[in-house]
Amino acid sequence: MKKLRFINTVKNFGSSNFHALTHKNFRYFWIGQCVSLIGTWMQNIGQSWLVYTLTDSPFLLGLVGTIQFLPVTIFSLFAGVVVDRFPKKKILIITQSISMLLAFTLSLLVFTHTIKYQHILVLALILGFTNTLDMPTRQSFMVEVVGKSDLMNAIALNSATFNLARILGPAIGAIVMQGVGAAWCFFLNGLSFVAVIYGLLKIEPIAYVRKKSSEKKVLHEILDGLKYIYRTPVLFKTVLMVTVMGIFAFNYNVLLPVFTRTVLHKEGDTYGFLMSALGIGSLIGALTVSLRSKSGPKISIMFYSSVIVSIMLILTGLSSLQFAAALSLAITGIFNINFSTTANSTLQINSEDEYRGRVMSVYALVFAGSTPLGNMFSGTAASNLGASWAFITSGIIILVFMVVLAGMAGIQRRYK
């Protein structure tokens, strides 16, 4: 009897706090993501190790990341037009299939000992183009799977999955590399896409595709989408905040290795410990957002989250002990996810159906496409000022921007 009561309590807790999972379509999508994201992180760690082994060059290692993100920076706005014109489910099946083939190709080249650095650059570039289309499609597809009422809960659950995979994937990848080699990381990642593609084939979304009566050219549609965001205050403010956070708040892959060696005077195990602290904080943040998702996204949450992140970045820069840095990074992770999940939900819920693909392509541009610019800023700041001051400067810039934005919003309300 007590066991039955406990099971019912767990079920009630799950259905009320993770309500997106009550949608059969979302369960297919979410389970596929759980499998695939672990494979993605396995490939990430395997590819980084492979590139460094082949080249012994930090610059060439960084170049692979730049090449992979460059298409997102250049072509995201064009991708938004495609997303609005065609069924999102079909687009995702194509992009996920291409990603699967790229992973298998990389594994085959390594298995046959024919891999060269140039091969990895080409594969990274193709994956970059694929992700340019995949990212806004995946984001705008979510509302077709769960509807607007459970959208924020679904995004939070996806964030939780992403951050859990960020913890598990590299750990599993390291074990696989140690035991049987990096090629198996790529092969297993290729297999993981089967779960996503199978789930997509089973999903029956409430699809929205814009009517084909529009005779506008691609550039006109891009401009129309940008004007729509500018004319909609909540969308415009959100995009501005995401742009600043994308450039200055998400550059841990550049700053933390330098911070670990030059400030804490530690090695790779401490770097892994700090990254784990960030990942654990992000996971906690995602679960927290899912529990409060019924109240819906609020722009005030984005503002306060970004302010707390800016303060934590400053405190990280001031830290000289690894446990103090880990604590500030864990708190940063919590509020990073609060910010990004709320921003994502705000953009989708407040977008009209015919514009959602273009709005989310702008989100992909300023969130992920700003990575090369953010990496450049962080690398330059760390080289000239040191890693500590790079963290502190990033925090100050975010804080100043948010205070100015809040002041402008206050002035607008006063004179309405």
Side-chain angles (χ1 to χ4, degrees), residues 237 240-241 299-300 303-304 306-307 398-414:
K237 288 177 185 176
L240 282 179
M241 294 170 75
I299 202 162
S300 60
F303 174 77
Y304 291 121
S306 60
V307 169
I398 295 169
L399 187 59
V400 169
F401 176 83
M402 294 305 165
V403 170
V404 170
L405 186 64
M408 291 174 61
I411 291 171
Q412 288 176 349
R413 284 195 298 269
R414 191 179 305 164

Coordinates of all heavy atoms in Angstrom, one line a residue, residues 237 240-241 299-300 303-304 306-307 398-414:
K237 N 13.8 43.6 -27.2 CA 14.5 43.7 -26.0 C 15.2 42.3 -25.7 O 16.4 42.3 -25.2 CB 13.6 44.1 -24.8 CG 13.2 45.5 -24.8 CD 12.2 45.8 -23.7 CE 11.7 47.2 -23.7 NZ 10.7 47.4 -22.6
L240 N 18.3 41.9 -27.9 CA 19.4 42.7 -27.5 C 20.1 42.0 -26.3 O 21.3 42.0 -26.2 CB 18.9 44.1 -27.0 CG 18.6 45.1 -28.2 CD1 18.1 46.4 -27.5 CD2 19.8 45.3 -29.0
M241 N 19.3 41.5 -25.3 CA 19.9 40.9 -24.1 C 20.6 39.6 -24.5 O 21.7 39.4 -24.0 CB 18.8 40.6 -23.1 CG 18.1 41.9 -22.5 SD 16.7 41.6 -21.5 CE 17.4 40.9 -20.0
I299 N 10.2 38.7 -18.7 CA 11.4 39.5 -19.1 C 12.2 39.9 -17.8 O 13.4 40.0 -17.9 CB 11.1 40.7 -20.0 CG1 12.3 41.1 -20.8 CG2 10.5 41.8 -19.2 CD1 12.0 41.9 -22.0
S300 N 11.5 40.1 -16.7 CA 12.2 40.4 -15.5 C 13.1 39.3 -15.0 O 14.2 39.6 -14.5 CB 11.2 40.7 -14.4 OG 10.4 39.6 -14.1
F303 N 16.3 39.7 -16.9 CA 17.1 40.8 -16.4 C 17.8 40.4 -15.2 O 19.1 40.6 -15.1 CB 16.2 42.0 -16.2 CG 16.9 43.1 -15.5 CD1 17.7 44.0 -16.3 CD2 16.8 43.4 -14.2 CE1 18.4 45.0 -15.7 CE2 17.5 44.4 -13.6 CZ 18.3 45.3 -14.3
Y304 N 17.1 39.9 -14.2 CA 17.8 39.5 -12.9 C 18.8 38.4 -13.1 O 19.9 38.4 -12.4 CB 16.7 39.2 -11.8 CG 15.9 40.3 -11.4 CD1 14.5 40.3 -11.5 CD2 16.5 41.5 -10.9 CE1 13.7 41.4 -11.1 CE2 15.8 42.6 -10.5 CZ 14.4 42.5 -10.6 OH 13.6 43.6 -10.2
S306 N 20.6 37.8 -15.8 CA 21.8 38.3 -16.4 C 22.6 39.2 -15.4 O 23.9 39.1 -15.5 CB 21.4 39.2 -17.6 OG 20.6 40.3 -17.3
V307 N 22.0 39.9 -14.5 CA 22.7 40.7 -13.5 C 23.5 39.7 -12.6 O 24.6 40.0 -12.3 CB 21.7 41.6 -12.7 CG1 22.4 42.2 -11.5 CG2 21.2 42.7 -13.6
I398 N 28.4 43.4 -19.2 CA 27.0 42.9 -19.1 C 26.2 43.7 -18.1 O 25.0 44.1 -18.3 CB 26.9 41.4 -18.7 CG1 27.6 40.5 -19.7 CG2 25.5 40.9 -18.4 CD1 27.8 39.1 -19.3
L399 N 26.8 44.0 -16.9 CA 26.1 44.7 -15.8 C 25.7 46.1 -16.3 O 24.6 46.6 -16.1 CB 27.0 44.8 -14.6 CG 26.4 45.4 -13.3 CD1 25.1 44.6 -12.9 CD2 27.4 45.4 -12.2
V400 N 26.7 46.8 -16.9 CA 26.4 48.2 -17.4 C 25.3 48.2 -18.5 O 24.4 49.0 -18.4 CB 27.7 48.8 -18.0 CG1 27.4 50.1 -18.8 CG2 28.7 49.0 -16.9
F401 N 25.3 47.2 -19.4 CA 24.3 47.2 -20.4 C 22.9 46.9 -19.8 O 22.0 47.6 -20.2 CB 24.6 46.0 -21.4 CG 23.5 45.9 -22.5 CD1 23.5 46.7 -23.6 CD2 22.5 44.9 -22.3 CE1 22.5 46.5 -24.5 CE2 21.5 44.8 -23.2 CZ 21.5 45.6 -24.4
M402 N 22.8 46.0 -18.9 CA 21.5 45.7 -18.3 C 21.0 46.9 -17.5 O 19.8 47.2 -17.5 CB 21.6 44.5 -17.4 CG 21.9 43.2 -18.1 SD 20.8 42.9 -19.5 CE 21.7 41.6 -20.4
V403 N 21.9 47.6 -16.8 CA 21.4 48.8 -16.1 C 20.9 49.9 -17.0 O 19.9 50.5 -16.8 CB 22.6 49.4 -15.2 CG1 22.3 50.7 -14.6 CG2 22.9 48.4 -14.1
V404 N 21.7 50.1 -18.1 CA 21.2 51.1 -19.2 C 19.9 50.7 -19.8 O 19.0 51.5 -19.9 CB 22.3 51.2 -20.3 CG1 21.8 52.0 -21.4 CG2 23.6 51.8 -19.7
L405 N 19.7 49.4 -20.1 CA 18.5 48.9 -20.7 C 17.3 49.1 -19.7 O 16.2 49.5 -20.1 CB 18.6 47.4 -21.0 CG 17.4 46.8 -21.8 CD1 17.3 47.4 -23.1 CD2 17.6 45.3 -22.0
A406 N 17.6 48.8 -18.4 CA 16.5 49.0 -17.4 C 16.2 50.5 -17.3 O 15.0 50.8 -17.1 CB 17.0 48.4 -16.1
G407 N 17.2 51.3 -17.3 CA 16.9 52.8 -17.3 C 16.1 53.3 -18.4 O 15.2 54.1 -18.3
M408 N 16.4 52.8 -19.6 CA 15.6 53.2 -20.8 C 14.2 52.7 -20.8 O 13.3 53.4 -21.1 CB 16.3 52.6 -22.1 CG 17.7 53.3 -22.4 SD 18.5 52.4 -23.8 CE 17.3 52.7 -25.1
A409 N 14.0 51.5 -20.2 CA 12.6 51.0 -20.1 C 11.9 51.8 -19.1 O 10.7 52.1 -19.3 CB 12.7 49.5 -19.7
G410 N 12.5 52.2 -18.0 CA 11.9 53.1 -17.0 C 11.5 54.4 -17.6 O 10.4 54.9 -17.3
I411 N 12.3 55.0 -18.4 CA 12.0 56.3 -19.0 C 10.8 56.1 -20.0 O 9.9 57.0 -20.0 CB 13.3 56.8 -19.8 CG1 14.3 57.2 -18.8 CG2 12.9 58.0 -20.7 CD1 15.7 57.6 -19.4
Q412 N 10.8 55.0 -20.8 CA 9.7 54.8 -21.7 C 8.4 54.7 -20.9 O 7.3 55.2 -21.4 CB 10.0 53.6 -22.5 CG 11.0 53.8 -23.6 CD 11.3 52.4 -24.3 OE1 10.9 51.4 -23.9 NE2 12.1 52.5 -25.4
R413 N 8.4 54.0 -19.8 CA 7.1 53.8 -19.0 C 6.7 55.1 -18.5 O 5.5 55.4 -18.4 CB 7.3 52.8 -17.9 CG 7.4 51.3 -18.4 CD 7.2 50.4 -17.2 NE 8.3 50.5 -16.3 CZ 9.4 49.8 -16.3 NH1 9.6 48.9 -17.3 NH2 10.4 50.0 -15.4
R414 N 7.6 56.0 -18.1 CA 7.3 57.2 -17.4 C 6.6 58.2 -18.4 O 5.7 59.0 -18.0 CB 8.6 57.9 -16.9 CG 8.3 59.0 -15.9 CD 9.7 59.6 -15.4 NE 10.4 58.5 -14.8 CZ 11.7 58.6 -14.5 NH1 12.4 59.7 -14.9 NH2 12.4 57.6 -13.9

